[in-house]
Structure formats: structure tokens, C-alpha cells
């Protein structure tokens, strides 16, 4: 669960008139949103049911399980800062809708950014926000201060702080966060890991075949078998290593 987008889905009739629309944010892998039992307001459903009636809604967990898990406040030239949230619950998804994320500690600053409706985060999963001052989807309308500041996550009412982190001067290109994920211990991290575990090296290549593990797993390969670099998984006369280097699949 790494998506932080705020998107809209539209339904038009044959003449081009809008019938309905739906605005939603980050979603939980393997789950769908809909009207529970085909009635009422939209919610996170217990399972996808394409072409059949909707099941009931899942039982959501407590927002107190959320942590600001990683941040990059000094990305460097032509790169973007980011903030990552983590759901420390091992069993339940959590609704993020309406929660406030801000680096402005004034009363007015509480309303700096509210997470969009129908935004969720799965168990032991992550939600990522790009902190570049942009109003675009998946972004925060503020930048992080490389010279140090405090970042807070508030309840929907803005009256209670759920979690906060404070940092000093940040080194360019070095992120900070919790190790392990969700822990009380904060510090600089050995590598940037936006949207994945702070213990997972996104550039790890366990078998030394020049293809990173995450790419191999995403394409059905074995990250512990160096021989698969020379294979052609999709029969297009291009080796897996060639596909990886070319950014194709």
C-alpha cells in the first residue's frame, strides 16, 4: 500500500452527461471500495466482488496505530522530499481520510493539509506523500525544512496529535525515520526506502545478477537465482537482464 494519490472516477451516459463521480485516495492492496451490501456510503469492502453483490465493510483499526515512519527533508537538486506513514497494526486496515498532516504548528497550520476521503492504509503497510509544495495529487502543499522542524499528524478534528517527529539539520540525500518500522527509535537511515520497509534496501541484489530483488519479484523471477538473468521470460528475444537495464518488461 504505497499509493498516496487523490483521484476522481467519472461515469457518463451515452450523451456525455455526468451521472456520478467518486473521489478517492490511497488504497489497500487486494481490497476494493464500494457501497457495503450495495447500500449506503462508500467504504473499504471485505473483498472484491466483480460482477456480483458487494459484501460488508471491513472492520477498520485505530488511527493510534499510525506512525510518521520516514521522511526526506534534503532531497538535493531536481529531487523531491517525501513523508511516509506506516500502519503498525498487523491485522487491520486504517482509514486515513480527514487526518491532518502539517509542519505548521500554529492553530491555523492544523488545516494545512487533510488527507482525501476514501484513503486507506493496509496492515503493516505504507502511504507516501511527496513534500514539494505542489497541489497535485499525491503531494503535500508544503516543503520540508532541511535545517530542522517538527512534522505532526493530527486526528480529523485537529484537536489531538496522533504522532510527531522533530529533526535538526539533514544531510543531502539522506532520509531519516524509524528502525525497525514503527519503532520509537528515530535516526538517519542507511538508504532511502519510500513506500517500503526501512529495513528493505531498494537496490538489494541478493544473487549478484545485476537485477535488483524488487524488480525480479515483480516480474516473477527468483532473486536468489543468478541464472535467470540470461533467460527470456516473455519470449521476446530479449534477456531478463536486458529488459531490466532497458526499463522494459
Amino acid at each position: 500500500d504505497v499509493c498516496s494519490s487523490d483521484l476522481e472516477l467519472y461515469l457518463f451516459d451515452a450523451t456525455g452527461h455526468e451521472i456520478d463521480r467518486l473521489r478517492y485516495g490511497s488504497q489497500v492492496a487486494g481490497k476494493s471500495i464500494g457501497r457495503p451490501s450495495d447500500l449506503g456510503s462508500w467504504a473499504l469492502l471485505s473483498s472484491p466482488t466483480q460482477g456480483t453483490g458487494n459484501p460488508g465493510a471491513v472492520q477498520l483499526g485505530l488511527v493510534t496505530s499510525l506512525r510518521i515512519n520516514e521522511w526526506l527533508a534534503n532531497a538535493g537538486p531536481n529531487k523531491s522530499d517525501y513523508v511516509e506513514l506506516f500502519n503498525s497494526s498487523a491485522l487491520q486496515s486504517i482509514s486515513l481520510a480527514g487526518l491532518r498532516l502539517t509542519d505548521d504548528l500554529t492553530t491555523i497550520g492544523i488545516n494545512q493539509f487533510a488527507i482525501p476521503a476514501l484513503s486507506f492504509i493496509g496492515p503493516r503497510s505504507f502511504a507516501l506523500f511527496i513534500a514539494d509544495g505542489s497541489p497535485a495529487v499525491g503531494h503535500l502543499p508544503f516543503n520540508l525544512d532541511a535545517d530542522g522542524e517538527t512534522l505532526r499528524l493530527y486526528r480529523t478534528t485537529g484537536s489531538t496529535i496522533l504522532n510527531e517527529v522533530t529533526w535538526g539539520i539533514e544531510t543531502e540525500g539522506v532520509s531519516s525515520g524509524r528502525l525497525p518500522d514503527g519503532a520509537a527509535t528515530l535516526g538517519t537511515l542507511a538508504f532511502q526506502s519510500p513506500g517500503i520497509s526501512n529495513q528493505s534496501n531498494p537496490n538489494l541484489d541478493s544473487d549478484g545478477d545485476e537485477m535488483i530483488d524488487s524488480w525480479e519479484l515483480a516480474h516473477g523471477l527468483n532473486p536468489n537465482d543468478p541464472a535467470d538473468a540470461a533467460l527470456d521470460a516473455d519470449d521476446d528475444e530479449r534477456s531478463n537482464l536486458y529488459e531490466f537495464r532497458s526499463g522494459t518488461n
Side-chain angles (χ1 to χ4, degrees):
D1 174 17
V2 301
C3 176
S4 58
S5 297
D6 172 17
L7 302 173
E8 284 190 306
L9 182 66
Y10 299 86
L11 176 65
F12 296 92
D13 64 19
T15 64
H17 291 94
E18 182 182 324
I19 299 174
D20 199 6
R21 73 169 65 186
L22 175 70
R23 186 185 184 194
Y24 61 95
S26 58
Q27 299 298 295
V28 177
K31 299 290 186 182
S32 60
I33 55 174
R35 301 183 190 277
S37 303
D38 302 316
L39 299 169
S41 301
W42 284 74
L44 183 66
L45 302 179
S46 58
S47 62
T49 53
Q50 184 178 1
T52 62
N54 290 345
V58 302
Q59 182 177 354
L60 296 170
L62 301 175
V63 293
T64 50
S65 294
L66 294 172
R67 300 289 184 271
I68 300 172
N69 197 57
E70 182 183 359
W71 63 93
L72 178 65
N74 189 357
N78 303 315
K79 297 182 179 179
S80 297
D81 297 345
Y82 61 80
V83 176
E84 176 193 86
L85 300 183
F86 174 66
N87 175 7
S88 62
S89 171
L91 300 174
Q92 293 179 303
S93 298
I94 295 174
S95 173
L96 300 176
L99 299 181
R100 316 300 176 90
L101 193 59
T102 181
D103 66 344
D104 183 344
L105 307 188
T106 68
T107 302
I108 296 175
I110 292 174
N111 298 315
Q112 190 176 33
F113 175 75
I115 299 177
L118 294 176
S119 296
F120 302 95
I121 184 171
R124 303 293 297 179
S125 295
F126 309 88
L128 183 67
F129 300 88
I130 304 302
D132 59 358
S134 169
V137 295
H139 295 245
L140 296 174
F142 57 88
N143 300 87
L144 303 184
D145 192 339
D147 291 329
E149 63 174 343
T150 295
L151 182 68
R152 284 179 177 172
L153 179 68
Y154 286 89
R155 287 184 180 270
T156 57
T157 59
S159 59
T160 304
I161 300 172
L162 290 171
N163 196 227
E164 72 174 28
V165 293
T166 300
W167 63 87
I169 297 175
E170 297 282 277
T171 302
E172 182 177 311
V174 178
S175 65
S176 297
R178 302 178 186 276
L179 199 65
D181 298 308
T185 304
L186 299 174
T188 56
L189 301 177
F191 38 77
Q192 296 177 29
S193 53
I196 61 175
S197 173
N198 291 347
Q199 294 173 282
S200 299
N201 184 346
N203 297 312
L204 183 64
D205 178 13
S206 297
D207 54 12
D209 61 1
E210 300 182 43
M211 301 184 299
I212 60 175
D213 291 2
S214 58
W215 190 90
E216 291 201 57
L217 290 170
H219 292 83
L221 305 179
N222 184 350
N224 294 306
D225 179 13
D228 59 13
L231 301 179
D232 179 11
D234 54 3
D235 296 320
D236 64 353
E237 300 184 358
R238 296 289 187 271
S239 71
N240 293 325
L241 180 58
Y242 179 94
E243 301 271 22
F244 171 73
R245 289 173 172 172
S246 302
T248 57
N249 53 48

